[in-house]
């Protein structure tokens, strides 16, 4: 899935969102559709800096592990988290 900065990608996600019903059953997991949307929105708000977060004290936050993760290892691109949860509810 392309980046959310691409108009076509945003339009496709909006179309999928419009098909989501509040009572839609999940294909897996325990989220309800409204709770899934809150979860996805919180993630996007954190990425935009609109929702404050507290740093976790994990080894990956320290160099050189952080640089290895960011610059060397392949990392999925394209905001796949939203796609994953939309697929969870069949949209």
């Amino acid at each position: 899935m392309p980046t959310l900065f691409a108009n076509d990608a945003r339009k496709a996600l909006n179309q999928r969102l419009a098909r989501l019903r509040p009572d839609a059953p999940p294909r897996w997991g325990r989220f309800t559709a409204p709770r899934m949307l809150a979860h996805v929105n919180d993630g996007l708000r954190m990425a935009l800096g609109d929702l404050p977060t507290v740093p976790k004290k994990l080894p990956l936050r320290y160099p050189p592990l952080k640089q290895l993760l960011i610059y060397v290892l392949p990392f999925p691109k394209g905001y796949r988290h939203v796609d994953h949860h939309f697929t969870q509810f069949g949209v």
Side-chain angles (χ1 to χ4, degrees):
M1 170 161 273
T3 176
L4 290 176
F5 292 110
N7 288 332
D8 291 342
R10 278 197 317 277
K11 183 178 178 182
L13 283 177
N14 281 330
Q15 289 170 346
R16 291 171 71 185
L17 178 61
R19 292 193 312 263
L20 180 64
R21 296 183 339 264
D23 61 341
R27 293 179 175 177
W28 67 84
R30 293 182 284 187
F31 274 144
T32 62
R35 181 66 191 116
M36 177 273 294
L37 287 177
H39 168 75
V40 168
N41 283 329
D42 284 349
L44 294 171
R45 290 179 58 214
M46 284 187 267
L48 292 171
D50 292 341
L51 184 63
T53 60
V54 177
K56 293 182 179 180
K57 295 185 179 190
L58 300 173
L60 289 178
R61 71 181 264 220
Y62 300 107
L65 292 175
K66 182 177 179 180
Q67 281 72 17
L68 177 68
L69 177 68
I70 294 172
Y71 299 110
V72 178
L73 298 176
F75 195 75
K77 305 275 188 235
Y79 292 94
R80 293 183 181 174
H81 185 226
V82 176
D83 178 62
H84 166 78
H85 283 298
F86 278 12
T87 301
Q88 179 184 14
F89 284 88
V91 296

